[in-house]
Each structure stands twice: as C-alpha cells, then as structure tokens.
Amino acid sequence: MSIKNKLRTGISFLFLLALLCSGFAVYYLQQLSNDSRAILKDNYRTLVYTKNISSLLDAPPALKPNRLKDIQTNLTQQEHNITEKGEKELTDSLQQFFNQYQTAQVNPAAQQALSIKMRDAISGIMTMNMNAIQQKDKKAADTSSRALIIIGLLGSFCFLIGFTFMINFPGYIATPIRELTQSILQIANKNYSKRLMFNSDDEYGELSTAFNQMAKKLSEYETSNLANILFEKRRIETIINAMHDALIGFDDKQIIIFVNEVACNLIGLPEDKLVGQFAPHIADENDLLRNMLITENKKMKIYADDQESYFTKEVLEVTNEDKFIGKVIILKNITEFQQLDEAKTNFIATISHELKTPISSIKMSLKLLEDNRVGEVNTEQRALLENIEDDTKRLLLITGELLDMGQLETGKIQLNFGSTHPKNIVDYAVKAVKFIADQRQVSISIKCDDNLPNVRADLDKSTWVLINLLSNAIKYSREGTTVELLVSKNKGDTITFTVTDHGQGIEQKYLSKIFDRYFKIPGASADQSGTGLGLAIAKDFIEAQQGKISVHSEMGEGSSFQFLLPMG
Ligand code: ADP
C-alpha cells in the first residue's frame, strides 16, 4: 500500500475511534437524560397531583369554593399520567371514592370516612411513585457508571492507539529518509557498493529500487572509467619510458609518483626504490636528486655512465583548478648540443681572431691609400675607398662582437672594475654613435645630472653596452625623431641608464627572446639587422657587473631599454 493510502487509513482509523467515543458518550448522555426525564414526567407529576388532591381535601370548603372541581382536575391529570404497575387500580379507586365523596355532601361522617379512604389511595399512589423514583434513580446511576466504564475503556483504547501512532509514525517517515541520506553520503564518498533495503511496496520501496539502480550504474561507470584510466596510465608510462629525457613526477607532498628509465639510470636507483618515496629523504643520500630538487640553474653537468653529460632542467608545475597538485622535472640531455656549441664557439673565436689581423691591415692600407703622399686619388676612387672603409669598420665590429661572445661563452670575460661617473659612460657612448645618429637624422636628448653618484663598473664594457643600445635605438628610429637617454638614481644603491626611441617597437611575443644569442626579429631590413649578438653580450656584460637589463616596448610607439649598475 502506498504511504499516501497508509496515512489516509491511519488517520481515518483514529477519526473513527474518536467518532465511536463521542457516539457512546452521546448515547449514554441521552439515556441519562431520558431516565431523569422519565422520573420527572412519570412520577414527579403524580406526586404533585396527589399532593394537590390531598391538600385540597384538607382545605375548608368555605375558603376554597372550587375545591371539588380542582380535585377532579388533578384527578383527571393523574388518570392521564399512569406509569406504574397497580397505579391505575389505585387511581380508579381514588376516583370512585371521590365520586362517592361528592355525592355524600350532606353526610359529613360518610364524607369523613371517604376522605380517609381517598388519603389511603393517595398515599398508596405516592408510595408507589416514590418507590419508582428510587428505582429509576438507581437505574440512572447504573447507566452513568456503565457509561463511565465504557467511555473510559474506549478513551483508553483511543489513547493507546493514538500514542502508538504518535511514537511510531515519525519514525516510520523519518527512518528511511535518514537511511537514504546516509546512503547518498556514502555514494558521494565513492562507495558505490552501498544499497538500500526497503522491502515495502510503498513509495519507499520504489525509492530504494531507484537508488540501488543508480548505485549500480555508478559502480559500472566507475569500473569502466577505471579501466580507461588504467589504459591511459599504461600508455603514458610507455611514452615516458620511451623518452630520451629524464622525467620525474612528484605530488604536492614531494612524494615521487613516477620516474622513467633514463632518470633511474642517472640517479642510480631502480624504479621501485624511488616511486612512493619522500623525495627529500632520498635526496639526502643522492647528490643528483638533491641537485635536481634544489638547483636553480637551468643547465646541469652530470657525471653518469663514465662520462660527463649536460642537461637542462625544466620544472612543470601541475595544477588542478589553480591548486598546486604536483610537479614534473624534465632533464633534457643537451650533451650533444653542448659539444657542438663548444666547437662552434672555438671555431668562431679562432676565425674572428684570425680575421682581425688581415682586417686591421686592410684598414691600415686604406689609411695609407687615403694619404696624398702615397698618390692622388680621384673622387670616384675616394668614394670607393670610403665604402671599403665602412665595410672594414663593420667587419671589425662584427669580429669584435664574435670575439667578445667567444670570451663570454668560455667564461674568459675579464672585468676591470672602477668607480666612474655615469657621465663618462654617457659621453663616450654618445660620441661613438654621433656619426650614425647624424647620418640617420636622429637627435639624441641626454639627461644626466652632474650631481649623480659614481657607479662601480667596467668603463669599457658598460660603454660598449650603452653604445649598443643607442645604436639599436638610432637604427630602429624614424627619421627626424629623438632618442632619449636618461640617467637617474634609484631608491636602492643603483643608477639606471634608460634609452628610449620612438621607432616601430617590438612585438610582445619577441620581448622575452631578444636577449638570446643570435636572435633577430624576423622581417628586419638589411641595413638594420646585425649579428643578433649585441643584446646577448650586453646582458652578459651587465649581469657580470651585478647589474640588470630589461626592455619595455609598445608596438608603434617605440622601445625603452634599461640597465642598472650598482653605485660605487
Ligand atoms: P642586432 O645586432 O641584430 O641588432 P641585437 O642583439 O642588438 O642584435 O638585437 C636583437 C634584435 O632585437 C634585433 O635584431 C632587433 O630586431 C631587435 N631590437 C633591438 N633593439 C631594438 C629597438 N630599439 N627597436 C626595435 N627592435 C630592436
């Protein structure tokens, strides 16, 4: 039966009980009222009539002239109110005596005797009715105590039923709901084996069937999902193991969750000794893992398999909805590239060194050729000589840069630190670029206060950097614009050199790359592009002096290069 019908039946039953109770109460009240009405109607009135007759008999005829008529009226009323057994006979004899009484008016003695007989009859009727009153009173008392017992029993029964209903009904409704809530919580905690056991054929039964079906479906889904996840896991493991780079994954508590074969070989421990372990614990006894965890250097030199290898370290943070859940460290084996790079550096250094001498002698020869003492040259020859001189200068500049680069890459950079006023750096640099600025019709505005403190720097290298920034700014400026050079003191103990141009600007995506070696922004015109080394060398020079170099640029508005040097 459905809960709705059960509720309906239960409440109807209680309602019926209440109705039965009140029905009984009404019935007995009716009975009691009937009993008392019977006493009043049947017996009390007879007593009144007979009492009236008796007192009329006693009244002196002179005072009550209608006395006989009144007696007859009461007698007639009594005749119509016969209720008890034998009452009629007594009433009839009373009537007879009264009839005789009326006819014996002239004979007072006979009247007296008849009056006595009448009183006897009256007394008989009264006694009979009083007895009847007593009996009826007793009957009413019986009825009332019976009513009390029956209504009391019925009331107790109703109370018991109602009380049982009150105790059990909330539980009947609430217990399955509580059980359902618990089961839903279990499902939410991924315990899909949870089932509901409501074996009733009501709504709860339907609910438990639906819930169990849902749990079964979820469990099936979970199992199939698990199979998919396991498949994906195996696939990723295969890929990870096939990689030539070393890979180690950590969770957010630094527990190693996976490691590939290359990484195992490097660390020198098998996979089962690494996976599931707290990384810092292993790092305590394993130099390589410690290096991997703490080193900030991107490039690492690792001695493994009887040879020196070079790796770059990359850390990928794994997040889920912006919450850090782990990281993967990738060590890329760059030994081959490193060797190639070293070969390239040596090659460039040798070539540029070898080139410097012949280029210098070409320059020298050009100087001699320009001298009138060697011989007159005509205008065309002079123009040609000037061209050769320009190209020679350019060649010398490039070989100089390549040599610097070689120095930097082999770590042979020599710094001559000294305390110098920023103005010195500015003057040297501006002088050096004056010629190309004039050629390109770009003016240079300089703001460098004489009161600025000295900087601690290598004058040559810092000037070199400023020349490079200024010549880039001039190169990329439009004709007729101004390149601004500002030297200012910072809040800390540093001096900033800022070179701002109003040229084409640099696209945001290239900003992070322009300090890389040999990087040139694609699409530059032939007269603009150089070796792509200038900024890379500048960065190394500035950082070697504990300074910093940075760039800001807006497309179409120009670029601003800044480097800062410590005060000295
Ligand atoms: P290059 O010798 O090619 O000038 P740099 O290292 O000095 O090499 O500069 C790298 C690249 O950065 C340049 O090729 C150029 O595209 C870009 N660049 C440098 N300075 C500026 C500037 N002021 N405005 C626009 N682009 C610039």
Side-chain angles (χ1 to χ4, degrees):
M1 199 197 291
S2 69
I3 297 177
K4 199 169 99 184
N5 285 340
K6 276 183 191 166
L7 276 175
R8 204 175 273 160
T9 316
I11 292 169
S12 307
F13 180 65
L14 282 179
F15 180 70
L16 265 179
L17 279 180
L19 208 68
L20 192 71
C21 238
S22 39
F24 266 100
V26 168
Y27 169 77
Y28 280 109
L29 273 175
Q30 188 68 37
Q31 283 248 317
L32 281 173
S33 131
N34 282 349
D35 286 352
S36 60
R37 207 176 306 126
I39 292 173
L40 183 75
K41 185 175 162 252
D42 301 351
N43 309 102
Y44 176 73
R45 281 187 201 155
T46 298
L47 289 179
V48 171
Y49 301 147
T50 47
K51 188 186 141 272
N52 285 346
I53 294 169
S54 175
S55 43
L56 283 167
L57 273 177
D58 291 341
L63 281 178
K64 286 255 179 199
N66 290 333
R67 145 181 111 88
L68 293 177
K69 201 172 158 223
D70 290 344
I71 290 174
Q72 183 53 57
T73 311
N74 279 290
L75 202 53
T76 313
Q77 282 171 329
Q78 165 57 21
E79 278 171 352
H80 288 110
N81 193 38
I82 304 290
T83 54
E84 307 305 318
K85 207 172 153 204
E87 191 179 351
K88 186 169 174 13
E89 288 76 24
L90 282 171
T91 308
D92 286 347
S93 57
L94 181 63
Q95 181 68 54
Q96 260 179 16
F97 293 141
F98 180 59
N99 291 342
Q100 288 168 11
Y101 182 84
Q102 285 184 96
T103 50
Q105 292 254 14
V106 283
N107 187 352
Q111 241 186 359
Q112 186 64 33
L114 279 166
S115 156
I116 290 166
K117 281 185 182 166
M118 276 174 76
R119 279 182 209 284
D120 285 347
I122 285 168
S123 152
I125 293 170
M126 280 177 115
T127 313
M128 184 177 282
N129 274 286
M130 277 187 314
N131 286 342
I133 284 174
Q134 261 180 353
Q135 269 175 15
K136 283 179 186 170
D137 181 55
K138 193 170 164 290
K139 191 180 160 205
D142 286 350
T143 307
S144 110
S145 54
R146 199 173 339 118
L148 261 180
I149 290 169
I150 290 183
I151 291 172
L153 278 174
L154 257 178
S156 310
F157 181 62
C158 285
F159 172 77
L160 272 178
I161 297 279
F163 189 72
T164 321
F165 195 72
M166 191 184 83
I167 295 290
N168 293 325
F169 183 66
Y172 174 73
I173 297 286
T175 311
I177 292 177
R178 202 178 316 123
E179 224 175 293
L180 178 69
T181 314
Q182 301 271 324
S183 307
I184 289 172
L185 284 176
Q186 294 271 337
I187 294 279
N189 286 333
K190 298 203 167 178
N191 176 9
Y192 300 128
S193 60
K194 184 73 195 163
R195 295 286 181 274
L196 278 179
M197 290 299 165
F198 301 154
N199 290 327
S200 50
D201 57 351
D202 54 15
E203 284 89 338
Y204 285 132
E206 285 169 20
L207 184 77
S208 89
T209 315
F211 178 89
N212 293 344
Q213 259 173 20
M214 177 194 76
K216 194 171 151 231
K217 285 255 148 53
L218 279 173
S219 165
E220 282 168 10
Y221 176 72
E222 171 88 347
T223 323
S224 70
N225 245 8
L226 203 71
N228 282 344
I229 290 169
L230 280 175
F231 172 74
E232 283 302 318
K233 186 174 173 263
R234 242 167 265 138
R235 205 161 68 99
I236 290 168
E237 273 171 3
T238 315
I239 296 172
I240 287 174
N241 275 328
M243 281 174 79
H244 295 296
D245 301 327
L247 245 90
I248 307 189
F250 304 86
D251 69 5
D252 56 334
K253 293 177 188 79
Q254 302 233 58
I255 304 285
I256 301 174
I257 45 177
F258 66 83
V259 55
N260 71 352
E261 273 170 33
V262 185
C264 286
N265 286 344
L266 280 182
I267 297 172
L269 286 172
E271 191 182 344
D272 57 341
K273 288 251 163 63
L274 290 167
V275 174
Q277 301 297 319
F278 181 52
H281 270 170
I282 299 188
D284 279 347
E285 288 169 8
N286 189 296
D287 291 346
L288 188 101
L289 192 63
R290 188 165 54 244
N291 254 347
M292 275 173 81
L293 291 177
I294 55 173
T295 188
E296 300 234 318
N297 281 350
K298 275 193 137 192
K299 201 155 140 193
M300 292 169 76
K301 192 167 156 190
I302 294 171
Y303 192 82
D305 289 340
D306 295 333
Q307 60 170 40
E308 263 183 357
S309 304
Y310 289 88
F311 289 86
T312 52
K313 175 182 156 182
E314 211 175 315
V315 182
L316 303 178
E317 295 213 334
V318 188
T319 53
N320 184 19
E321 291 172 356
D322 290 341
K323 198 180 159 242
F324 172 79
I325 54 167
K327 63 177 177 186
V328 178
I329 295 183
I330 305 170
L331 291 189
K332 264 204 179 100
N333 193 338
I334 53 154
T335 316
E336 207 179 313
F337 301 108
Q338 179 73 19
Q339 285 161 354
L340 283 173
D341 201 43
E342 273 169 21
K344 174 217 73 187
T345 309
N346 289 337
F347 176 73
I348 290 174
T350 319
I351 290 286
S352 40
H353 191 263
E354 293 301 318
L355 282 178
K356 244 186 149 175
T357 327
I359 297 169
S360 301
S361 73
I362 293 173
K363 225 178 145 194
M364 191 75 109
S365 308
L366 277 171
K367 278 261 172 280
L368 287 173
L369 273 176
E370 278 172 356
D371 197 325
N372 284 341
R373 281 173 292 179
V374 180
E376 281 288 321
V377 282
N378 62 27
T379 339
E380 276 174 14
Q381 285 168 334
R382 182 160 300 282
L384 281 171
L385 282 177
E386 274 171 12
N387 272 351
I388 298 171
E389 199 176 353
D390 278 354
D391 285 342
T392 321
K393 265 190 204 157
R394 215 166 114 74
L395 260 176
L396 257 185
L397 196 87
I398 291 172
T399 44
E401 277 188 2
L402 287 172
L403 259 180
D404 283 337
M405 194 64 233
Q407 268 190 18
L408 284 172
E409 287 190 351
T410 48
K412 289 182 197 145
I413 181 166
Q414 293 285 325
L415 288 172
N416 294 317
F417 279 108
S419 177
T420 180
H421 194 271
K423 211 158 176 45
N424 294 333
I425 302 175
V426 169
D427 286 346
Y428 282 129
V430 172
K431 224 167 158 187
V433 296
K434 184 93 186 72
F435 181 69
I436 52 159
D438 290 346
Q439 259 189 344
R440 289 185 183 247
Q441 292 176 20
V442 173
S443 52
I444 304 173
S445 119
I446 308 160
K447 274 189 198 154
C448 177
D449 206 330
D450 286 338
N451 299 332
L452 283 171
N454 281 4
V455 286
R456 187 181 169 273
D458 179 316
L459 184 61
D460 287 344
K461 304 273 187 295
S462 306
T463 310
W464 189 97
V465 173
L466 193 56
I467 293 174
N468 204 276
L469 295 186
L470 282 170
S471 47
N472 272 350
I474 295 164
K475 256 200 289 182
Y476 296 103
S477 279
R478 281 185 271 269
E479 252 181 38
T481 55
T482 308
V483 166
E484 285 136 33
L485 168 57
L486 169 72
V487 186
S488 56
K489 185 176 172 300
N490 291 324
K491 272 189 193 147
D493 295 338
T494 50
I495 301 283
T496 306
F497 295 74
T498 312
V499 178
T500 309
D501 67 63
H502 300 284
Q504 66 204 29
I506 303 166
E507 274 186 69
Q508 291 294 314
K509 61 179 176 186
Y510 296 130
L511 283 181
S512 59
K513 293 195 179 131
I514 57 169
F515 292 102
D516 290 351
R517 276 160 210 177
Y518 308 109
F519 179 79
K520 289 189 276 184
I521 291 176
S525 63
D527 67 323
Q528 284 177 328
S529 72
T531 52
L533 280 172
L535 288 177
I537 297 173
K539 185 168 186 268
D540 283 340
F541 277 171
I542 294 298
E543 284 177 357
Q545 298 176 78
Q546 273 78 54
K548 268 187 190 147
I549 188 162
S550 58
V551 58
H552 299 278
S553 189
E554 284 288 326
M555 273 310 275
E557 289 187 11
S559 316
S560 175
F561 284 82
Q562 268 193 343
F563 68 89
L564 46 92
L565 290 171
M567 285 181 348

